[in-house]
Amino acid sequence: MEFRLLGTVSVDTFTGPLPLGPAKRRSLLAALLLSANTPVTVARLTESLWDEMPPSQARSVIQGHVSRLRALLTGADAAAYGVELVTLTDAYLLRVPESLLDAQRFEELLMMARQQREPADAAMMLTEALSLWQGPALGGAFTGPPLQAAAHTLEESRLATVEELARTYAALGEHHRAAAVLRPEAVAHPMRESLAAALIKALYGAGRQAEALDWFHRTRRLLADELGIDPGRELADAYALILRGGEVADDAHVPPPAPAPEAPPAVAVAVAVDPLVRLPAPVAPAVPPAELLPRAPRGFQGRAEELAALGRAAAGEAPVCLITGPAGVGKTALALQWAHHKAAVFPDGRLYADLRGFSDTGEPELTDVLREFLPALGVPARRVPESASAAAALFRTLTERRRLLVILDNARDSATVRALLPGGPDCVTLVTSRHRLEGLIASDAARPVPLDVLGPQDGMALLAGVLGEERVLAEPVAAHRLAELCGGLPLALRVVAARLAGRPGRPLAALAAELADEQGRLGRLAVDDTGVAAALRLTVQHLPPDAVRLLARLGHHPGGHVDAYACGALLETGPADAQATLERLGAAHLVTETAPGRWTLHDLVRLYARDIEPEAGPDALVRALDQLLATALAATDTAEPGGGACFGLPDDFHQPYAVREFTDRAEALAWFAAERDDLARAVAAARSAGFHDRAWRLVLLHWPQVVLRVRDGWAPLLESALDSARAEQDAYAEARVLSLLGWVLTEEGRTAEAVALLEAAPALARKAGDGPGEVTATINLAVARAEDGDLDIALEDCRRAADLARAAGDWHTEMLALQHLARTLLTAGRPEQSLDTVRTALALGPEHEETARRALLLTTAGEARLLLGEHEEGVHLLERAADEAERGGYDEGAARALEGLLRVAERPEYRARYERAVRRLAREA
């Protein structure tokens, strides 16, 4: 874990930066880190977060940000690193080891540098200190006056360190290095005379007298024009030094070393301050820098975080940086963009080889690559060894004392990369691959830099880079839609841009409308020899047959994600074998693990997969639907034992090889909640393909989730299930769906619609011979009538339902009928009869069964006691109802019970629990 203030305020962890959220939360973290291990008062935090009059709820805002920040740190296991965010009386304290804070390490390196006797050692430490800076201090934060002052102080310290590093280089006689670190800062801070004076002396010391004089006159004119003043003493002294032809003074008070031989012109280049600069410098080569780098990518957009991550990964000794990602995501472009911006860091050159690991032309021989590398390093072509091992050994020897960048593009396996790794500790290797190359991570400590698709804004910026901002801004909605349809894949976006650039009069919306058609989307995402389908084909052709078969079937899976059980059903194998095949697809970046055990396909990969084996579509879809049915049955049996579906499975049901097991009710309900979106997709796919018998069953099997989250917008899904039941002319299915839909409509306040639907349900159930279904439909009809004001008819319906269930020996359904009978009696003003009914219902089932039902019965009993004037007993029953509902995750029941308690006892505890339950319901809705 690492805390950063020297750049964007952030917390880096092993799995990536924490999602800190809004600027004010970053400001809060910055204020706490600037006073790490010291209490920071709420008043001080308020000054830091607001530069004007703070809002009246400032304290609450701060408390909310502290709470979220503490949750983020806890989720990242901060305690294991000795990090703790503590709340004091009127202050907050962030305990953090100083070694985890970049600003503290910066100060420690400065102190150590000033204690060194040798200037070379001091320069190394100063360079390392400056490498900690990733941008302007406290970036990404909303800085109030205290934070502005802190950012200014940190920046002043950085500039002073740059000047100190330049003086150290001057003491070593390396004036060209001093000039290199000073020039960018002098450009950025033209009014800082100390920087200008130091740069003038460095240029003069490096033998660049004309440049030194030009910089003096430029600064003199700027001071006169902007401030109306003459140069100060430092600038004047530097100018006088040049005029009299004197020697540059030793500002570092270190005896100057013996004169160094003049470097060859080809390598006498400015080396900018960079995390990768290491000292002492390698011996200058006797040949010009090796340059095999292709041109920089055109229209490169975004990727600021990935470029920064690449810079961090490239630090250290002989690092190997591994850029991985799917086809077309821009791995090569990222590597080249970084390489072109780091030219000064690699004075001995930059080598590049396309290993063609995913190409129709095949991979080049190792000797062919080395026959390009070695001559670039000065080896005559006739002296290049014939054997691959000898050539590789010579390459490692030649790179031992050089500062070199090697890019190995499109690598397919780790073994090929290992043979081409340079031998020097100052060399950096960038590897790009569609595979994860975990072997290279294990053997050579390669540092992964995974690359994902672009966000919508960066995607639109890429389009604007080709088409021009005017054209994109003229149709921003269409441009955003194009970015979405391309799934953020840079290759697809570039193809779209190429199509539009060739037809300047064509509206962006027209192409977006064409791409919306999935059938022809991949065909339209191709121009000449470039396209998404072609890139994916080159990845797929290297897969083993079982992985290709799984990918083809995943293209027809209706869900947004899959797991090993779903893939096992598609492959007709067990989850362990399916998991291994999934891992192969994941290693090739054709599927992505978004959470442990949950995998998803990019939309364009899904479309490509469908075309691998289009004839497998119907079979793959029905197997996916049946696997969902089997899993939903298991979840229903766990969530509501004894209350599962009474219907049989379709005659042609495909029993999966294995079905997921659920350990308890909470896990089963969590699965239902997580699968809500995929349920809707599966039902739509089933209906579209004519599998109506699967569609209505899938919906009904989610009844435990419907019961718990009844107001969560289930009506459209149930209406589609009703259409499927009617399409099958299945009276049983129609009655069951009508019953559940009518109850949902009642809960939504649409009682007239509910009664109209439910009146037909009992007769349909009798026709189908579905006794339990008739009872349930009668109960739901009674509830709807009660809500509509027909209490007498509703009571008759409830009693009839209870009698039917009792005659059938179905105590679950009898308990349900009695629950609603008790509630209706209470509504009708008959609390004694209501209590008697509750006692009868509770006597039917064990206490651990029917959590939701027991909670509602206890709530009814509590309210009946209160109506009878038995206050203490009523409160006790309502408290039991709230406790049981909360333990069972039944927020609706908890809210009802707590609402009853608040009517008679306005306690803070009740209010807090009620509000938490309501918030959970709102969040889930």
Side-chain angles (χ1 to χ4, degrees):
M1 178 170 284
E2 184 175 14
F3 294 84
R4 296 185 179 276
L5 294 174
L6 308 182
T8 300
V9 177
S10 61
V11 183
D12 288 349
T13 68
F14 181 76
T15 58
L18 295 184
L20 293 178
K24 277 193 165 47
R25 193 171 301 144
R26 293 180 189 271
S27 301
L28 173 77
L29 175 60
L32 294 172
L33 288 172
L34 287 166
S35 300
N37 303 307
T38 303
V40 184
T41 65
V42 172
R44 183 66 171 174
L45 290 173
T46 303
E47 293 176 3
S48 299
L49 270 62
W50 287 275
D51 57 358
E52 297 178 354
M53 180 65 68
S56 58
Q57 70 275 22
R59 180 181 292 269
S60 297
V61 172
I62 290 172
Q63 289 172 344
H65 285 309
V66 168
S67 176
R68 181 58 182 152
L69 182 57
R70 183 181 286 121
L72 287 170
L73 292 173
T74 301
D77 199 19
Y81 297 89
V83 177
E84 183 182 15
L85 180 50
V86 180
T87 301
L88 304 177
T89 304
D90 194 38
Y92 296 97
L93 168 66
L94 181 59
R95 293 195 180 104
V96 54
E98 293 180 346
S99 60
L100 302 184
L101 183 56
D102 62 353
Q104 183 62 35
R105 294 204 310 279
F106 177 75
E107 293 298 328
E108 290 174 356
L109 285 167
L110 292 189
M111 185 183 304
M112 292 171 60
R114 290 160 186 161
Q115 294 171 352
Q116 301 306 309
R117 297 176 60 87
E118 295 297 327
D121 294 336
M124 182 182 301
M125 292 179 182
L126 291 170
T127 301
E128 186 177 353
L130 288 169
S131 74
L132 295 172
W133 285 77
Q134 304 293 320
L138 309 188
F142 175 86
T143 50
L147 293 187
Q148 291 176 12
H152 178 74
T153 300
L154 288 169
E155 175 64 9
E156 282 295 314
S157 182
R158 186 187 72 83
L159 290 175
T161 305
V162 171
E163 294 175 354
E164 188 172 350
L165 177 60
R167 289 195 297 272
T168 307
Y169 280 147
L172 290 166
E174 296 179 352
H175 299 288
H176 64 289
R177 287 184 178 273
V181 300
L182 288 166
R183 182 185 289 274
E185 302 300 341
V187 171
H189 304 85
M191 298 293 192
R192 190 180 177 96
E193 291 190 52
S194 59
L195 272 175
L199 176 58
I200 289 166
K201 288 191 285 185
L203 291 170
Y204 174 67
R208 293 147 69 178
Q209 180 175 323
E211 288 183 59
L213 289 171
D214 178 67
W215 203 273
F216 169 80
H217 290 299
R218 181 189 309 176
T219 306
R220 177 183 58 79
R221 287 193 297 270
L222 186 64
L223 292 171
D225 294 343
E226 297 292 333
L227 304 177
I229 61 174
D230 293 324
R233 181 172 179 177
E234 281 187 272
L235 270 176
D237 288 347
Y239 183 56
L241 175 70
I242 300 172
L243 293 182
R244 68 171 182 266
E247 293 184 0
V248 177
D250 179 8
D251 292 325
H253 303 293
V254 177
E262 185 176 348
V267 296
V269 295
V271 182
V273 175
D274 190 279
L276 305 180
V277 175
R278 302 177 184 86
L279 292 171
V283 175
V287 295
E291 286 296 345
L292 297 180
L293 207 62
R295 64 174 175 81
R298 306 288 174 84
F300 187 89
Q301 293 292 337
R303 303 300 195 193
E305 290 185 8
E306 289 87 349
L307 287 168
L310 194 55
R312 292 193 296 272
E317 184 173 322
V320 179
C321 311
L322 180 56
I323 306 173
T324 61
V329 81
K331 300 179 293 295
T332 302
L334 178 71
L336 293 178
Q337 180 78 2
W338 189 85
H340 277 281
H341 280 74
K342 299 294 181 183
V345 180
F346 302 104
D348 298 329
R350 297 165 293 177
L351 303 178
Y352 171 89
D354 184 357
L355 301 183
R356 303 198 302 271
F358 307 90
S359 169
D360 281 333
T361 60
E363 298 174 83
E365 294 291 334
L366 177 60
T367 51
D368 292 337
V369 176
L370 292 168
R371 285 192 185 104
E372 292 187 6
F373 281 7
L374 291 173
L377 296 172
V379 178
R382 65 182 181 279
R383 297 290 181 90
V384 175
E386 290 294 327
S387 73
S389 59
L394 178 59
F395 174 66
R396 289 191 294 273
T397 300
L398 289 174
T399 55
E400 278 184 357
R401 297 181 59 79
R402 304 196 190 211
R403 186 174 297 138
L404 193 73
L405 173 65
V406 179
I407 298 181
L408 303 175
D409 199 15
N410 291 313
R412 186 164 65 91
D413 56 56
S414 301
T416 305
V417 172
R418 290 192 195 101
L420 292 170
L421 293 177
D426 290 294
C427 295
V428 174
T429 307
L430 300 189
V431 182
T432 75
S433 181
R434 300 181 191 182
H435 291 169
R436 287 199 294 257
L437 300 189
E438 292 173 345
L440 194 65
I441 299 173
S443 64
D444 292 272
R447 303 170 188 184
V449 180
L451 200 58
D452 203 351
V453 296
L454 294 172
Q457 294 305 315
D458 285 337
M460 293 173 65
L462 191 153
L463 292 175
V466 178
L467 303 175
E469 288 189 9
E470 298 83 0
R471 193 169 177 188
V472 170
L473 291 176
E475 295 183 77
V477 176
H480 191 277
R481 179 62 175 149
L482 285 172
E484 287 181 335
L485 291 168
C486 291
L489 196 67
L491 174 60
L493 287 162
R494 291 183 183 280
V495 170
V496 164
R499 283 186 168 276
L500 291 167
R503 299 174 64 181
R506 187 182 192 190
L508 274 62
L511 182 55
E514 291 182 9
L515 291 178
D517 176 15
E518 289 188 349
Q519 298 299 320
R521 188 180 303 170
L522 282 179
R524 293 183 176 91
L525 291 177
V527 288
D528 296 336
D529 59 346
T530 300
V532 175
L536 290 171
R537 177 178 58 79
L538 296 176
T539 301
V540 172
Q541 70 183 11
H542 295 287
L543 293 173
D546 59 338
V548 176
R549 183 165 174 258
L550 176 58
L551 181 65
R553 281 153 179 73
L554 286 176
H556 302 284
H557 195 283
H561 72 274
V562 295
D563 59 13
Y565 290 96
C567 293
L570 295 176
L571 291 175
E572 300 176 65
T573 187
D577 291 338
Q579 180 67 29
T581 308
L582 260 177
E583 294 285 353
R584 291 191 188 97
L585 293 178
H589 288 92
L590 290 167
V591 297
T592 302
E593 192 173 21
T594 56
R598 291 168 66 90
W599 300 77
T600 187
L601 281 77
H602 188 281
D603 286 345
L604 298 181
V605 175
R606 187 186 303 277
L607 294 179
Y608 177 82
R610 287 179 189 171
D611 291 336
I612 297 176
E613 294 181 19
E615 69 282 356
D619 181 70
L621 174 59
V622 77
R623 288 183 183 277
L625 293 172
D626 287 352
Q627 188 270 336
L628 282 171
L629 277 174
T631 309
L633 273 170
T636 301
D637 287 343
T638 304
E640 300 292 346
C646 300
F647 55 76
L649 294 170
D651 293 336
D652 59 345
F653 178 77
H654 297 78
Q655 181 62 44
Y657 190 93
V659 179
R660 176 179 174 179
E661 296 179 356
F662 297 91
T663 57
D664 54 27
R665 185 171 188 272
E667 185 183 356
L669 291 176
W671 182 85
F672 278 126
E675 296 296 317
R676 173 70 185 273
D677 290 339
D678 275 5
L679 167 66
R681 294 190 184 97
V683 171
R687 285 171 48 77
S688 178
F691 296 125
H692 293 289
D693 53 348
R694 268 81 174 175
W696 68 261
R697 284 179 168 88
L698 275 173
V699 176
L700 283 187
L701 278 172
H702 282 65
W703 71 264
Q705 183 74 0
V706 178
V707 169
L708 283 178
R709 306 287 180 259
V710 65
R711 295 189 179 92
D712 200 15
W714 292 98
L717 195 61
L718 285 161
E719 287 165 354
S720 69
L722 182 60
D723 290 340
S724 288
R726 288 171 174 169
E728 289 283 292
Q729 297 182 345
D730 189 329
Y732 173 93
E734 186 177 354
R736 287 277 175 158
V737 176
L738 279 172
S739 181
L740 189 55
L741 175 58
W743 183 65
V744 168
L745 292 176
T746 302
E747 290 292 319
E748 291 181 354
R750 299 159 63 182
T751 52
E753 298 174 62
V755 170
L757 287 173
L758 287 166
E759 284 177 338
L764 280 168
R766 279 196 302 276
K767 176 183 175 182
D770 179 13
E774 181 184 359
V775 176
T776 304
T778 304
I779 293 170
N780 292 348
L781 177 59
V783 173
R785 283 173 168 162
E787 289 291 327
D788 217 27
D790 295 333
L791 294 180
D792 291 338
I793 301 177
L795 289 170
E796 292 177 9
D797 288 338
C798 286
R799 291 190 179 99
R800 183 167 58 254
D803 292 342
L804 287 170
R806 190 177 306 112
D810 182 358
W811 69 266
H812 285 274
T813 312
E814 183 184 355
M815 191 176 185
L816 176 65
L818 292 174
Q819 170 203 321
H820 289 290
L821 176 59
R823 171 57 61 178
T824 307
L825 285 168
L826 187 65
T827 304
R830 305 180 196 177
E832 296 93 343
Q833 296 178 41
S834 178
L835 270 175
D836 290 339
T837 305
V838 169
R839 292 191 193 96
T840 304
L842 289 174
L844 288 175
E847 287 194 6
H848 66 276
E849 300 283 6
E850 305 287 343
T851 299
R853 199 156 299 154
R854 281 182 55 80
L856 293 174
L857 283 166
L858 290 171
T859 300
T860 301
E863 292 176 350
R865 291 286 188 186
L866 292 174
L867 283 177
L868 291 170
E870 301 171 10
H871 182 272
E872 184 176 348
E873 183 61 21
V875 168
H876 173 68
L877 287 168
L878 288 172
E879 286 178 338
R880 281 183 58 193
D883 290 342
E884 291 201 18
E886 286 174 336
R887 281 198 300 271
Y890 183 30
D891 293 327
E892 180 79 17
R896 286 187 185 182
L898 290 163
E899 187 177 19
L901 284 168
L902 286 169
R903 283 197 292 268
V904 294
E906 180 63 47
R907 294 183 186 175
E909 177 199 355
Y910 296 158
R911 175 62 60 186
R913 291 167 65 189
Y914 173 76
E915 290 177 353
R916 284 197 297 270
V918 170
R919 279 198 300 270
R920 285 194 296 269
L921 285 169
R923 186 163 57 245
E924 289 154 1

